[in-house]
Amino acid sequence: MSNMVRLMKSSVIVLLFLIIASIFSIFFSSMQKTGETTILKEYFEIGSILPLLFPENDRKHSCGWDEDILVGRLPMDLRDVNLDEFANKETFFRNVKAGGHWNPIQCSAKSKVAVIIPFRNRDKHLAILLRYLHPILQKQKLEYRIFVIEQIDDKPFNKGKMMNVGFQHSQKYNDFDCFVFHDVDMIPEDDRNDYGCPSSVRHMAPAINKFKYKLLYHFIFGGVTSFKKEAFIKVNGFANKYYGWGAEDDDMYYRVQRHEFRLVRAPFETGRYTMIKHSQSEKNKMAKQLLDSRSKFIDKDGLSSLRYSVVTTKNMTLYTWIGVDSQMTEEEKKLTTAQGSQNSTTERVKLGQ
C-alpha cells in the first residue's frame, strides 16, 4: 500500500510540474522579446521550479544535465549590476544560501565544486561574473560554493598564492572534489562549458574574445582552469613566488606537464569567454627570470610552502569573502622587486566592509 501511495504522490507531482511548465511556456511565448536584456532576463528567471517540487529526502539518483534548460550561447550584458536586487528577486539567486552555497535537491550532485576567485579591487567585475556564474552552476546541477579570496595587504598582488589559499581554506567548508580557479574579469559565454571537473586538469577558457577566440600560444593555461583535488595536490598547487602580474599560469602549465597529467581544453565552441576591459595590473618585473629558473623551486614552492594569514571571513549573500595577508617570506622578498601594490589598503573599499 505504501508503494502505491508513493507512486500516486509522484504522479501528482509530475502532473503539477507539467501544468506549471505549460503555463510558463504559454506566458513567455506570448511575450515579444526585443533586445538582449529581455532574453537575458528570461534566462535568469526560468528553470528552477524542479527543486521546489522534490523534497530533499527523495534524492536517490545522480544529477545529469537537463539539456532543456541549457541555452548554449549566452547574450553578453556587461553593464553594472546591483547584486542586492538580484539576490532578492531572481530565482537563481534567491535559492543561494549564505556564503554562496547551493546544492540540487531533486538529485545528488556528481561533483562538489569550490569556485575560487582571486581578487583585489574589482567590485564591478565581480558583480557581473556572479550574475552569470550562479545560473550556470545551478543549471549544471552542481553542489558548489563561491569563494572570493582578497589580498588585503599592501604588497603586489599574488594571484597564485591567493588561489592556493582558496584551495586550502575552502576545505574547511565542505569536502570539495573539484576546484575551479576563475579570473574575475572572465565572463562565460556558454552554459554548456562543464564546471564539474570532467577531467583531472582542464583549461576551461581556450577561446577569449580579446584574442579573437584563438589560443594566444600553445602552452597557455590561464583565465579559468579546473582541477580535481588529487591532481592539484600532486602538482603542489600554484607557485607562491610570483608577486605582480604575469607567469604564474605558465608556471602551472609546466607543473602539469612535469607530473604527466593530460591537459584537456574545453571545446572552442563552448569554452568561450568575454574578458572585461580594465587597466593592466602592475607587471612582475622578475616574471621571466622566475619562470626560467622554475626547475630550482618547482617541487618545493606551492602548497607545501604556503604561508599566509586569514584576517577575516564573511558569508556574503552570494559568496564567501576571505581577506588574506600574503605573509611574504624573506626568500620571496629576495626573488621579487619592490613593486608596491596597485592600490593601497587605505585607498580601497574592501568587499567585507
Side-chain angles (χ1 to χ4, degrees), residues 86-333:
F86 277 91
N88 294 328
K89 296 179 180 179
E90 307 290 351
T91 301
F92 288 106
F93 303 92
R94 289 201 309 267
N95 295 333
V96 177
K97 300 174 184 176
H101 173 247
W102 184 89
N103 63 285
I105 62 174
Q106 74 272 25
C107 54
S108 178
K110 290 183 178 180
S111 297
K112 294 182 179 180
V113 183
V115 180
I116 295 167
I117 304 172
F119 185 87
R120 178 182 265 178
N121 198 31
R122 295 279 182 84
D123 301 59
K124 292 182 179 180
H125 295 177
L126 178 63
I128 296 169
L129 175 60
L130 292 175
R131 185 189 183 193
Y132 278 84
L133 270 185
H134 280 288
I136 290 175
L137 295 166
Q138 290 180 33
K139 285 172 178 288
Q140 294 185 11
K141 297 180 181 177
L142 300 168
E143 180 174 355
Y144 69 88
R145 191 180 190 110
I146 296 178
F147 296 88
V148 175
I149 315 298
E150 182 173 14
Q151 183 178 332
I152 62 174
D153 56 41
D154 60 355
K155 300 174 182 65
F157 186 53
N158 189 326
K159 188 169 77 169
K161 179 175 279 193
M162 292 304 106
M163 291 189 283
N164 284 342
V165 172
F167 175 83
Q168 291 280 55
H169 203 72
S170 66
Q171 295 180 68
K172 298 181 180 181
Y173 292 81
N174 203 337
D175 183 22
F176 296 108
D177 50 46
C178 172
F179 296 83
V180 176
F181 301 94
H182 211 300
D183 283 6
V184 73
D185 59 354
M186 297 286 286
I187 309 303
E189 294 185 12
D190 199 299
D191 61 8
R192 298 167 297 175
N193 193 5
D194 196 339
Y195 274 76
C197 289
S199 57
S200 293
V201 180
R202 191 166 188 257
H203 185 209
M204 297 181 62
I208 302 174
N209 67 328
K210 181 178 180 179
F211 308 128
K212 299 181 179 180
Y213 301 103
K214 297 178 181 180
L215 286 181
L216 190 60
Y217 45 91
H218 78 277
F219 57 89
I220 191 170
F221 187 57
V224 187
T225 58
S226 68
F227 289 81
K228 289 186 177 179
K229 183 177 181 178
E230 298 78 10
F232 194 73
I233 292 174
K234 189 168 183 179
V235 301
N236 200 20
F238 288 89
N240 299 313
K241 298 184 184 298
Y242 295 90
Y243 280 84
W245 180 84
E248 82 288 328
D249 50 352
D250 293 337
D251 183 283
M252 174 55 82
Y253 174 86
Y254 290 114
R255 290 171 182 246
V256 169
Q257 295 298 308
R258 182 180 180 84
H259 290 278
E260 299 182 345
F261 282 107
R262 179 171 174 261
L263 174 57
V264 177
R265 297 193 192 276
F268 277 72
E269 179 185 358
T270 58
R272 295 169 59 98
Y273 286 80
T274 290
M275 181 183 292
I276 303 176
K277 294 181 180 180
H278 58 85
S279 58
Q280 182 67 63
S281 300
E282 189 167 0
K283 290 185 178 181
N284 183 343
K285 300 173 185 176
M286 296 287 290
K288 187 179 185 305
Q289 181 178 334
L290 286 169
L291 196 60
D292 290 344
S293 63
R294 64 186 178 277
S295 60
K296 298 178 181 179
F297 60 81
I298 196 167
D299 291 326
K300 299 177 182 179
D301 179 43
L303 291 175
S304 61
S305 63
L306 183 60
R307 176 181 171 182
Y308 67 97
S309 173
V310 170
V311 179
T312 184
T313 64
K314 285 189 179 182
N315 285 336
M316 312 299 279
T317 305
L318 296 176
Y319 57 93
T320 299
W321 178 77
I322 301 176
V324 178
D325 186 317
S326 65
Q327 296 284 307
M328 183 184 284
T329 65
E330 290 301 319
E331 183 181 4
E332 290 167 359
K333 291 177 182 178

Side-chain angles (χ1 to χ4, degrees), residues 1-18:
M1 180 62 69
S2 60
N3 291 335
M4 181 64 70
V5 172
R6 291 179 62 85
L7 180 60
M8 292 177 64
K9 178 183 176 182
S10 299
S11 299
V12 171
I13 291 174
V14 171
L15 180 60
L16 179 60
F17 170 72
L18 291 174

